[in-house]
Amino acid sequence: MSNGMATAEEGIQESDIPLSVINGSSVEPTESTPLGVEVEKDTVQSSRNITYSETGCKKSCNDCSTVVCWKCRLWMLLLVIFGAVIVVIIVSLVLYSVIYTDEDDTVDNSLKSTGKPQYYEGTMRLKQLASDDVMTTDKAKQMLTDVYNSSPALGRYFVEAVVFESNDTTTVTYSLKFALPPDHSLLLQYTLSEEVLVNVLKQYVCDQEDSPEGGQGLQIEPSSLILTAVNRSYT
């Protein structure tokens, strides 16, 4: 009995394995299919999956070499698109820098005649006695006009400077007139504030003292500069 079963098993192992499984073809297992045949079939299927995976990787790597149009490959097309985007950005920046104008760089020449007047009155003390009152008045007026006209921030608003005659030969009393635009609240608070106007004049006086030609102009004491705003009621 046992010898018969052994002979039957050997017969199954040698002759009952389908040739299609050995050659790598897919065979659905049946109730009569031995266990060893199913294991071999799984191994063959795994090998096929690995082969398909490697083939997929090679295919994705070769996608960029695919001819899209005429002789133009995909990587060439991507390179052209990327270059075109860079060129558009550069051209846009150049055009923006040429066309854009900063409002602070635009000077309204009609403002000085149509703007609302704003006056400041101040005094400054000379370091030495003036020999000629008329010459002192003219020099002081010319100095004030040059200082505020040449200022990039104040020149567009400055109208004129007036120096009053006085019996005091050591003190110069003057008045400054500026023109204000319709919206001038922040302008008076910052750009045309008393502190800014005094500091601009003080800086000019200090620079003149340090220059080789400083002795030819008016000798002004920087600490004596005083400036006060008037007629602010309409602001």
Side-chain angles (χ1 to χ4, degrees), residues 124 138-147 201 204 220:
M124 50 187 174
D138 293 341
K139 284 186 176 181
K141 180 179 180 179
Q142 187 62 45
M143 180 193 69
L144 293 170
T145 302
D146 293 341
V147 168
L201 182 56
Y204 174 83
I220 301 172

Side-chain angles (χ1 to χ4, degrees), residues 72 74-89:
C72 180
L74 180 59
W75 68 268
M76 296 179 182
L77 183 61
L78 294 176
L79 187 61
V80 170
I81 294 175
F82 182 72
V85 171
I86 294 179
V87 171
V88 169
I89 293 175

Side-chain angles (χ1 to χ4, degrees), residues 5-17:
M5 293 179 63
T7 303
E9 291 179 357
E10 291 177 358
I12 291 174
Q13 292 177 358
E14 294 178 358
S15 61
D16 291 350
I17 298 177

Side-chain angles (χ1 to χ4, degrees), residues 124-171:
M124 50 187 174
R125 188 172 63 253
L126 303 178
K127 292 184 178 180
Q128 57 185 6
L129 295 177
S131 57
D132 191 340
D133 293 340
V134 176
M135 184 177 295
T136 300
T137 301
D138 293 341
K139 284 186 176 181
K141 180 179 180 179
Q142 187 62 45
M143 180 193 69
L144 293 170
T145 302
D146 293 341
V147 168
Y148 293 108
N149 260 336
S150 60
S151 173
L154 306 176
R156 69 190 66 187
Y157 308 110
F158 178 73
V159 178
E160 64 176 349
V162 177
V163 177
F164 303 106
E165 297 182 0
S166 173
N167 295 328
D168 188 352
T169 56
T170 60
T171 303

Side-chain angles (χ1 to χ4, degrees), residues 14-205:
E14 294 178 358
S15 61
D16 291 350
I17 298 177
L19 184 59
S20 59
V21 173
I22 298 175
N23 294 332
S25 60
S26 176
V27 177
E28 294 295 330
T30 61
E31 295 180 356
S32 61
T33 303
L35 181 60
V37 175
E38 295 182 5
V39 173
E40 184 175 352
K41 188 185 78 171
D42 293 340
T43 304
V44 174
Q45 188 67 28
S46 299
S47 301
R48 287 183 176 181
N49 292 339
I50 295 175
T51 303
Y52 294 155
S53 178
E54 292 177 353
T55 304
C57 291
K58 292 180 181 179
K59 184 178 180 181
S60 62
C61 293
N62 293 330
D63 284 344
C64 291
S65 300
T66 305
V67 177
V68 178
C69 178
W70 194 43
K71 295 183 179 180
C72 180
R73 298 186 180 275
L74 180 59
W75 68 268
M76 296 179 182
L77 183 61
L78 294 176
L79 187 61
V80 170
I81 294 175
F82 182 72
V85 171
I86 294 179
V87 171
V88 169
I89 293 175
I90 294 176
V91 172
S92 300
L93 292 176
V94 172
L95 291 177
Y96 179 80
S97 61
V98 171
I99 297 175
Y100 176 75
T101 356
D102 191 354
E103 293 182 358
D104 292 337
D105 296 335
T106 306
V107 179
D108 185 6
N109 295 324
S110 64
L111 178 63
K112 295 184 178 182
S113 58
T114 60
K116 295 181 178 181
Q118 172 64 41
Y119 294 93
Y120 298 84
E121 293 181 355
T123 59
M124 50 187 174
R125 188 172 63 253
L126 303 178
K127 292 184 178 180
Q128 57 185 6
L129 295 177
S131 57
D132 191 340
D133 293 340
V134 176
M135 184 177 295
T136 300
T137 301
D138 293 341
K139 284 186 176 181
K141 180 179 180 179
Q142 187 62 45
M143 180 193 69
L144 293 170
T145 302
D146 293 341
V147 168
Y148 293 108
N149 260 336
S150 60
S151 173
L154 306 176
R156 69 190 66 187
Y157 308 110
F158 178 73
V159 178
E160 64 176 349
V162 177
V163 177
F164 303 106
E165 297 182 0
S166 173
N167 295 328
D168 188 352
T169 56
T170 60
T171 303
V172 176
T173 304
Y174 62 93
S175 172
L176 303 176
K177 180 182 178 181
F178 291 86
L180 304 178
D183 186 11
H184 54 266
S185 56
L186 293 178
L187 184 67
L188 289 175
Q189 186 176 355
Y190 298 103
T191 306
L192 295 181
S193 65
E194 300 168 358
E195 182 180 1
V196 171
L197 297 180
V198 169
N199 287 336
V200 169
L201 182 56
K202 185 179 295 185
Q203 183 63 45
Y204 174 83
V205 171

Side-chain angles (χ1 to χ4, degrees), residues 128 208-209 211-219:
Q128 57 185 6
Q208 289 299 310
E209 289 182 348
S211 66
E213 300 178 355
Q216 299 179 5
L218 294 176
Q219 300 297 313

